[in-house]
Amino acid sequence: MTVTYSEVGATREGPMPPGYLHVTRRVRLGSGPEVFAAAKVGLAHWQPQRGAGLRVRTDAETAGPGVEFATGIGIGPLRLWVPCLIVWLVDEPDRYGFGFGTLPGHVETGEESFLLSTDGAGDVWFDIRAFSRPAKWWVKLGNPVAKLVQSKVTDRYAAAMRRGPLP
């Protein structure tokens, strides 16, 4: 499948593209290699999404380039599933993360990324970057509500990584 936007990889670094809503969060998870290692395992196994209360559908055990997945929000049959594709992955000694883009059928178009990094002091940081705009007419009509939902879910991603299976 092909993503629904042209700016693939723009959440990895540098400025995000104009014409979209931009979201960024940066939270400190702790300090030391044990914290980084635990956060890396959690991130690879969908901890931000699951910890935020979303369901995850995928055939992949862990996140990786080319992996398709869908997240679902809602209750029972009223769950809204949105398909995504992992478009980039960083796996370095002091950085780990990935970016995923929207696929046809998603209510928005754009990209979101989760990136762990360790700074010179040994602190472990979790960064969330996203750019998006409505892809469905009913999302455009409810855009203020959609922005609020996106902000709340982003906060929940950060909280899930903070409280995750970290030492």
Side-chain angles (χ1 to χ4, degrees):
M1 282 211 148
T2 304
V3 294
T4 59
Y5 61 101
S6 60
E7 304 89 344
V8 175
T11 59
R12 188 168 178 165
E13 53 191 73
M16 289 191 280
Y20 292 89
L21 170 68
H22 297 168
V23 174
T24 59
R25 295 285 191 290
R26 180 173 177 86
V27 296
R28 183 180 175 276
L29 300 181
S31 186
E34 310 82 25
V35 171
F36 182 81
K40 180 179 174 179
V41 168
L43 182 54
H45 289 90
W46 317 103
Q47 181 179 323
Q49 293 91 340
R50 290 187 171 124
L54 303 175
R55 299 274 174 94
V56 178
R57 284 184 183 164
T58 183
D59 291 335
E61 184 178 322
T62 60
V67 167
E68 289 185 33
F69 69 99
T71 56
I73 189 168
I75 300 170
L78 300 178
R79 189 167 309 277
L80 176 65
W81 289 96
V82 293
C84 301
L85 175 73
I86 297 181
V87 296
W88 61 263
L89 176 84
V90 171
D91 191 356
E92 300 169 354
D94 61 349
R95 290 184 343 138
Y96 175 81
F98 55 87
F100 53 94
T102 56
L103 290 172
H106 200 294
V107 298
E108 294 187 329
T109 185
E111 188 174 292
E112 187 164 32
S113 68
F114 300 141
L115 184 65
L116 298 166
S117 62
T118 303
D119 65 19
D123 290 333
V124 178
W125 296 92
F126 178 55
D127 289 287
I128 303 165
R129 291 173 42 106
F131 62 89
S132 65
R133 61 181 169 219
K136 306 287 185 191
W137 67 266
W138 47 271
V139 178
K140 289 177 186 173
L141 285 178
N143 201 29
V145 173
K147 287 179 183 180
L148 179 63
V149 168
Q150 184 175 25
S151 179
K152 293 291 184 192
V153 169
T154 301
D155 290 341
R156 292 171 76 178
Y157 289 153
M161 288 300 289
R162 264 196 230 116
R163 73 174 178 271
L166 304 175

